[in-house]
Amino acid sequence: MGEAVMTRLTVFDRVSHRITHREYTDEGFLKVPGRVARTGIQEYLARELGLDGDPSRIVRVYRPEDEVFNDASLGTYDGATVTNDHPKDLVTAKNYKAVAVGEVRGAGRRDGDFVVCDLIIKDQKTIDDINAGKCELSAGYTAEYVHRPGTTADGQDYEYTQRNIIINHQAVVTKARAGGIARVFDHTPGGNTMPVLITTDSGRSVDVADPANAQVVADSFDRLLKRATDAETKADKAQATADKAAEDLAEARKASSDVAIGERVKEISTTQALARKVAGDGFTCDSLDVIEIKRAALAVALPKRDWSDKSAGYVECAFDAEYEKDEDEEDDDKKPKKPTGDAATLIAQLAQLAKDGAGPAVTTDAAPKQTPYQAHKQTLSGAHKQKGA
């Protein structure tokens, strides 16, 4: 799709560029450089651009660097007429005598976002006006306006782009379209209002007294406020870390006190004693960590398990179970042991024989019935007799 190019228009940029370096010739003429134009977004009324609709509607126009600073455009500053306020029309041979108060000498040159050129003011009233504070500069020029809405690199929206800028004159004005920085430079300001310049966080120098820079200043303030808030949050985190370290240090000092050391030694000694019951009297461990002592003892007592990856809780429970098992076995060793095997059988028989022998003999009309003990005794006696015969 092709670009819609408007008819070349004449625009008087009521933009202020502050005057700084003043120098007077022998004739009383004022020689001074000044910022006369800038890149970026500028606002126009719709009627200034000949647009339909509401004539008071604000139209945002983008002035790109490659248009403002190209050699062809900068060359048109040389010889441009200086006027006191903008004339009704472009300066021509017909109205030059009525509106001219000086001229621009040499081509324009870049100074950051601005175009700077050298002016010589020859009209005494205009010189007096400048010294009284009327020291902003505004370019009168023709240009093409391309309707192509877009957004600048710094996020500003616009409707038109300005191209093929040809300078006709430079006007000394009270308020310029390019802002308060678009002024005559001045070492001896006299009655003029000097800009209140600040450097934003991006390094850009702006005049905070100029309403046109209000959004730039506000955005810079917001960014600085966020940085301050982030820094405060970071400082709070650092303080919290420092407080925790102080608490840990206090705990460490408490743990290293004489009482704490005594209790620690007692705990380790007790654990070593219990570990020898679990792993045997020959068990030794150089660790001063109670859990590691118990882990080492279990590795000796129960070598088939891998104790290296067991948690502290697991080690504690297993150690207690193993120690209690050993305690139970010691209690069993202290109780009298019951006979087993043949000895137990013989003792049982003898006990029964003793019981039978102690019982009363039963008599009847028939032969008396022998008790098992009496029968066993008789057997032993018969055997003895047979052996002696």
Side-chain angles (χ1 to χ4, degrees), residues 119-160:
L119 295 79
I120 180 166
I121 314 298
K122 298 183 176 182
D123 176 61
Q124 186 61 55
K125 181 180 183 305
T126 304
I127 294 173
D128 292 340
D129 287 344
I130 292 174
N131 288 331
K134 185 178 181 180
C135 56
E136 297 190 6
L137 298 172
S138 174
Y141 56 88
T142 61
E144 294 176 353
Y145 291 75
V146 179
H147 183 255
R148 187 175 60 185
T151 305
T152 63
D154 58 353
Q156 299 187 64
D157 297 330
Y158 60 87
E159 294 182 53
Y160 288 86

Side-chain angles (χ1 to χ4, degrees), residues 252-266:
R253 287 175 175 171
K254 180 180 178 181
S256 63
S257 66
D258 292 342
V259 175
I261 291 174
E263 293 177 351
R264 182 68 174 166
V265 170
K266 180 179 179 181

